[in-house]
Amino acid sequence: MALLHVSSALLETGWHRNVLFTVEGRMIVDIAPDVAPPPAAERLQGIAVPGVANVHSHAFQRAMAGLAERRGPEDDSFWTWREIMYRFLAVMTPNDVEAVAAWLYVEMLEAGFTSVGEFHYLHNAPDGARYADPAEMGSRIVAAAEAAGIGLTLLPCFYAHGGCGGLPPVPGQARFLSDLDGFARLVDASRRHVARLDGANLGIAPHSLRAVDARELRALVAAHPVGPIHIHAAEQTREVDECTAWSGARPVEWLLDNMGVDARWCLIHCTHMTDKESRRLAQSGAVAGLCPITEANLGDGIFEAPRYLGAGGRFAIGSDSNVRISLGEELRTLEYGQRLRERKRNRLGPPGSSTGRHLFDAARRGGAQALGLSSGALAAGNAADIVILDDTSPALVARTGDAVLDSWTFAAGDGIARDVYAGGRRVVAGGRHVRRDEIRARFTRTLARLPGNA
Ligand code: NGQ
Ligand code: ZN
């Protein structure tokens, strides 16, 4: 049992001072506000907020961050980026993926993300051959999460086609492919790896309506009656056009019409929705997994947040391509997109509310839902995912209450999280991950071998 005392904390019931947390194993078992620290307590000077789930990551892509920012002969797009990404992943070994993922998860924890949904599709060897263990690559993700101490929801991805309506895959997709039987074996093997990691979860991730046909998607949902289901949807206008040409319906519309989308579902991006799709998705109880930094980087478009949130829609944040790892920057980018489009300020959140607080609350709640976690709030009975912000940081000096979240979101740089507990374990102390040096050294050695110019 551990006792942690902080000077202030954002609890489920709002802001409180002098808060004592009792942590047992992975869980918070008691919270007492307005108490002096007992002698046995560890005293942490700072502001405690709940750790937030990062619901959408392709870990291996961290290794190519910054390598696709060079203008090509024709208009660069999501699709030209994807070709660079495919060339890059073709050379990555299981060891490489583990080293990159472990470092990425260190960065996530230092940024205040205490769990990650790994949308994992790099299953096969570079030539498409199966590894002896079909979940060899997934086991490396589990090992990386274990080394970093981040909460993991592993989302093995089903990928079978190269376009809507069951088009054949292209050669660059060989590492992702399986059929339904192979996928069942992959999920079973993944489950065994996940089981050895305390608190880890398993879901499934049909990649997108470009990679999964209608029959397969129905079979996958029927075979997995519990747990999170994540799918990419409506990120690019070309995808919307392709889906409409195939089915007569747009991607989000098709999923709503055909798949019984509910609170188990997390639809990643949903950048391009009509008014009606926004309203229907909001009513479904599903989570929209928004990845604002990646969506900006890839030129996807701007999510229609005021409309969707106004209809009660839930969202969560994902770092997706992992080109940058920053919770504040994700939330800021989401809000700034709306400001730039509407030429107005403070677009998200009801009148009178703090924008930072509103976005943070929505992201922590939606994140926990999308990953199937009992966290997302500092409350007894929830996982001890606790982020203690450095109240001596220049960006937070003289800030209290919601102003802390506004300043974190809009004014602070990186390095605001001083101490981070994930599943009851202190993984960041004094702003540094407890295994930072060793995990970083392995990452550095790995990057030195991978192509440095894609
Ligand atoms: C992915 N990433 O699976 O890594 C995708 C690109 C695709 C994003 N959509 C590949 N951001 O969607 O075909
Ligand atoms: Zn993605």
Side-chain angles (χ1 to χ4, degrees):
M1 197 179 81
L3 297 172
L4 312 175
H5 191 274
V6 295
S7 23
S8 69
L10 177 59
L11 306 180
E12 217 169 12
T13 50
W15 290 101
H16 292 272
R17 295 199 55 77
N18 294 312
V19 179
L20 182 68
F21 293 91
T22 308
V23 174
E24 240 179 70
R26 305 191 63 257
M27 309 301 283
I28 299 172
V29 293
D30 189 54
I31 299 182
D34 304 313
V35 297
E42 172 136 32
R43 297 176 64 163
L44 298 158
Q45 170 67 35
I47 306 160
V49 298
V52 174
N54 181 344
V55 301
H56 190 69
S57 161
H58 308 292
F60 73 88
Q61 291 175 15
R62 182 66 179 144
M64 58 168 284
L67 290 185
E69 309 301 333
R70 198 178 257 269
R71 188 166 173 169
E74 273 149 49
D75 264 356
D76 285 321
S77 68
F78 172 91
W79 307 100
T80 56
W81 168 84
R82 195 175 79 157
E83 281 164 26
I84 296 170
M85 192 266 280
Y86 281 5
R87 282 202 296 276
F88 196 85
L89 68 81
V91 300
M92 291 186 79
T93 66
N95 265 329
D96 293 340
V97 168
E98 182 178 334
V100 170
W103 172 247
L104 169 69
Y105 297 160
V106 163
E107 292 184 287
M108 286 184 188
L109 286 162
E110 289 183 352
F113 290 116
T114 46
S115 50
V116 61
E118 183 62 35
F119 195 111
H120 169 63
Y121 60 87
L122 206 46
H123 303 307
N124 305 327
D127 62 356
R130 306 297 184 258
Y131 291 107
D133 172 356
E136 170 66 34
M137 295 294 261
S139 80
R140 302 312 189 104
I141 296 294
V142 172
E146 191 169 22
I150 199 166
L152 175 68
T153 295
L154 183 64
L155 301 159
C157 174
F158 179 83
Y159 204 115
H161 306 286
C164 289
L167 297 185
V170 301
Q173 295 165 342
R175 297 196 77 173
F176 323 155
L177 303 176
S178 65
D179 57 18
L180 286 171
D181 289 343
F183 186 71
R185 288 191 293 276
L186 172 66
V187 172
D188 280 347
S190 302
R191 185 172 289 115
R192 283 195 292 279
H193 292 297
V194 162
R196 71 165 200 265
L197 190 61
D198 211 19
N201 260 344
L202 192 72
I204 57 163
H207 182 275
S208 56
L209 291 176
R210 290 174 279 120
V212 184
D213 71 22
R215 179 191 65 92
E216 289 158 345
L217 191 51
R218 288 200 182 89
L220 289 169
V221 173
H224 296 91
V226 292
I229 306 175
H230 288 219
I231 185 167
H232 292 112
E235 179 179 13
Q236 282 280 318
T237 51
R238 182 172 125 188
E239 175 193 338
V240 175
D241 295 344
E242 220 185 287
C243 185
T244 309
W246 156 63
S247 70
R250 304 160 60 86
V252 174
E253 182 184 20
W254 191 93
L255 289 167
L256 289 163
D257 285 346
N258 292 282
M259 295 314 304
V261 168
D262 62 14
R264 291 174 66 201
W265 288 72
C266 180
L267 273 56
I268 306 299
H269 304 303
C270 303
T271 314
H272 303 287
M273 296 195 290
T274 60
D275 276 12
K276 191 163 171 215
E277 285 175 296
S278 284
R279 242 182 306 111
R280 289 182 65 200
L281 185 64
Q283 283 160 8
S284 76
V287 173
L290 308 180
C291 311
I293 294 175
T294 296
E295 288 154 8
N297 184 274
L298 298 181
D300 290 337
I302 300 171
F303 180 77
E304 282 273 4
R307 191 172 71 192
Y308 177 72
L309 301 190
R314 303 170 189 185
F315 78 86
I317 290 293
S319 58
D320 193 357
S321 67
N322 296 315
V323 66
R324 272 275 295 148
I325 306 304
S326 167
L327 175 57
E329 189 172 323
E330 295 288 1
L331 298 176
R332 180 164 77 238
T333 304
L334 175 60
E335 166 72 24
Y336 279 0
Q338 320 301 322
R339 293 188 190 187
L340 287 165
R341 182 177 49 203
E342 299 183 34
R343 289 178 266 153
K344 293 183 178 146
R345 301 190 72 252
N346 290 315
R347 305 321 297 147
L348 303 177
S353 77
S354 140
T355 302
R357 170 72 185 276
H358 185 75
L359 293 175
F360 184 82
D361 275 346
R364 66 181 174 78
R365 277 198 212 103
Q369 177 181 323
L371 297 191
L373 304 175
S374 75
S375 63
L378 296 179
N382 282 358
D385 292 340
I386 309 172
V387 174
I388 294 145
L389 304 175
D390 181 0
D391 60 0
T392 65
S393 155
L396 299 190
V397 170
R399 301 287 182 272
T400 57
D402 292 347
V404 168
L405 296 172
D406 285 329
S407 294
W408 182 13
T409 304
F410 293 102
D414 296 333
I416 291 294
R418 190 166 55 198
D419 295 283
V420 177
Y421 290 77
R425 281 173 48 206
R426 184 169 3 180
V427 287
V428 174
R432 291 173 64 84
H433 191 275
V434 294
R435 293 181 64 184
R436 176 179 238 274
D437 293 342
E438 152 214 349
I439 293 173
R440 176 172 153 173
R442 184 176 173 197
F443 174 79
T444 302
R445 287 195 301 276
T446 301
L447 270 257
R449 281 202 327 274
L450 291 173
N453 297 295

